Each structure stands twice: as structure tokens, then as C-alpha cells.
Amino acid sequence: MAKGRPIRTFDYVNHPYDSVRDALRDDALAVFRSATHAATSRAHEVAVGLHVNLGALKIGTEIALTVAGITEEEGNSPANRRLLIDIEWEAAKAPRLFPLMNGQLAVYPLSATETQLDFSGSYEPPFGVVGTAVDALVGHRIADASVHRFVVDVADYLRRTLET
């Protein structure tokens, strides 16, 4: 994750950590797909729709998202437990036209009834020097907004579908 432009966003789910952890640990790809309303899934990838509104302009594409690994950390107390989901994505069609994203979704308890979703990662703008210039002007805002939308969609889906 150290390579590329850093990006970070978070949201929370008003359900206990164990419920959120179980849903994501059992089938993170299904949660991501359902949360973003994408229609296609594969064994280790999922087509996820990312959409961003920038003023009157709506930008969107489907991405191929891969879960590279899931790790659970117990910590020295129940409050220090975490589920770490390593993910990466690129555009499903014409991937060289969009940034490659690598990141980790950390899931951990905020309280007995609230769970944090914290995404931290980095992305590589396409097109080398030209892409870096475009990223400096507007691309980073699109990347920030799309990652934020992804995390918000996942949190909203979990809020609506989990039982306490």
C-alpha cells in the first residue's frame, strides 16, 4: 500500500462487531456486490459498480474487485479485535484508462453496538506523467469520492440487512 497516492475514508455500522465481522468474513464479495448493486459475480472477483456525482457530472464504471486476503486479529481485549480485508480493484472494462486501487478495509468495534469500517489504500493514476497531472487537477477528487461512496454503500447495506 505504500506505493501510489494514499487514500483513506471510513463509515460506521450501527450493529455489533460480531455481526458485521461474520457477514464480511463469510462472504465479503457478496456483501460488496450487493452493497453496490452490481449484477455479476465470479469465484474470487466481483463486478462492483462505482459511481460518483461531481456537481452535475455523474461518473461511473464497473470494477473487478478481488479480495486478496482476510485476517482476524483478536487483540489483547475485545475492544481491540479487528477484521482486515485486503482488496484491490481496477475497471472491469478498459482497466488501463482508470486507476488501479490497492487497499485494506479494517473492521473493528467502536462500542458494543457500533462497528467502524475504515478503508486505507493507495492508487496508481493511469498514463504516467500525464495521468499524474490530471490526477493533481481532478483525478484525486474522483478517486476520493469513489472510495468514499464504496465504503458508504457497504456500511449502508450492512445497516439495512444485519439483525441485532
Side-chain angles (χ1 to χ4, degrees):
M1 276 189 288
K3 190 176 174 187
R5 187 175 179 117
I7 194 164
R8 183 159 187 229
T9 191
F10 60 90
D11 202 344
Y12 79 97
V13 180
N14 58 342
H15 290 283
Y17 168 77
D18 290 340
S19 298
V20 176
R21 178 206 58 209
D22 291 349
L24 289 167
R25 183 186 60 201
D26 292 347
D27 198 347
L29 292 175
V31 171
F32 298 152
R33 182 183 66 248
S34 296
T36 60
H37 310 293
T40 334
S41 68
R42 300 178 226 24
H44 295 289
E45 291 186 338
V46 63
V48 174
L50 287 184
H51 302 281
V52 177
N53 293 326
L54 294 175
L57 181 64
K58 183 174 182 175
I59 300 169
T61 191
E62 284 195 350
I63 60 169
L65 187 146
T66 303
V67 172
I70 298 177
T71 306
E72 281 188 76
E73 295 179 351
E74 288 303 317
N76 55 4
S77 74
N80 291 334
R81 299 176 296 164
R82 296 190 318 162
L83 181 71
L84 305 171
I85 305 171
D86 295 320
I87 58 179
E88 60 182 43
W89 69 68
E90 63 184 359
K93 296 179 182 174
R96 300 295 175 238
L97 298 177
F98 296 91
L100 170 65
M101 179 70 66
N102 289 290
Q104 185 174 72
L105 183 65
V107 180
Y108 52 89
L110 288 175
S111 70
T113 60
E114 293 181 318
T115 303
Q116 182 87 10
L117 303 180
D118 191 341
F119 180 89
S120 179
S122 63
Y123 67 95
E124 291 290 331
F127 306 121
V129 175
V130 172
T132 300
V134 171
D135 185 67
L137 292 173
V138 70
H140 68 283
R141 287 184 285 211
I142 295 169
D144 286 343
S146 64
V147 170
H148 180 72
R149 176 85 272 155
F150 172 76
V151 173
V152 166
D153 286 348
V154 170
D156 184 55
Y157 173 80
L158 291 167
R159 278 187 215 105
R160 289 183 288 110
T161 60
L162 292 179
E163 295 182 25
T164 53

